[in-house]
Amino acid sequence: MTTVERWISATRGATGFLTRLPVGYRDEDWDAFRSTPAAFPVVGFVAGALAGVPLLAADSLAPPTVAFGYLLAVYAVMGVHHLDGVADLGDALVVHGDVERRRNVLKDTTTGVGALLSVAVTVATLALGGLGLAGLPVRAAVGVAVGAEVGAKLGMAAMACFGASGYEGIGEWFTSASTPRAFLAPVVVAFPGVALTWPDPVAAVAICGGVAGIGLPWYLANRDLGGISGDIFGAANEVGRIAGVHAGVIAWTLL
């Protein structure tokens, strides 16, 4: 497989894993993706642009309507499977016990109060962020939405390159396939995102916020679960997006 073919395969695998877009990826695409962390921000640009389409109506429709459209678009493009990571993490964190006990709850299919609360807060916070986007000029709103998605995916690439997993599963598949040196490529891919709202820096702030947002689930995973799992990647995707959106909206308000 040539370098170009590998990039195409990795991007197809990333798109199939991170979104609901019908790309029809194959097993070799998954293998290429997990060893090519730069594919994370590539999908961030595409998915963020598609999710930001309802924001194009920010100047003509009521802000709550635009915000609702953005919320629907996010989960239509990205799917709700990443919220499962938020739910599982929420349940694991409210359980008393050692790391092994929390891991067992993380894998349990039963939905508890921690899952319900964490998912409700996640969706509500994203909706409120969408309401903030609806009050921005169209270019800024779309730029922040794309920047937040790119930042979240860049943060996931950082987890893959610098994180560690203490047990088998999707988390281990990513962290074992990448090294810290591999993080340079995702940064290079994500960097053009800072120009989305140039000269206003709100898109750059949204990217930075998205990266910073993944720090919370990453920290909790290392503290309470013994390392990163597939659920943590899913939770990081959701939390990073929210942090990026709110960071961009705050930056526009203050600048």
Side-chain angles (χ1 to χ4, degrees), residues 61-82:
L61 296 178
T65 302
V66 175
F68 181 60
Y70 170 69
L71 184 68
L72 291 180
V74 165
Y75 291 116
V77 174
M78 257 65 72
V80 299
H81 54 292
H82 300 294

Side-chain angles (χ1 to χ4, degrees), residues 142-152 193 196 203-204 206-208 210 244:
V142 174
V144 169
V146 176
E149 210 63 54
V150 172
L196 290 170
I207 292 174
C208 293

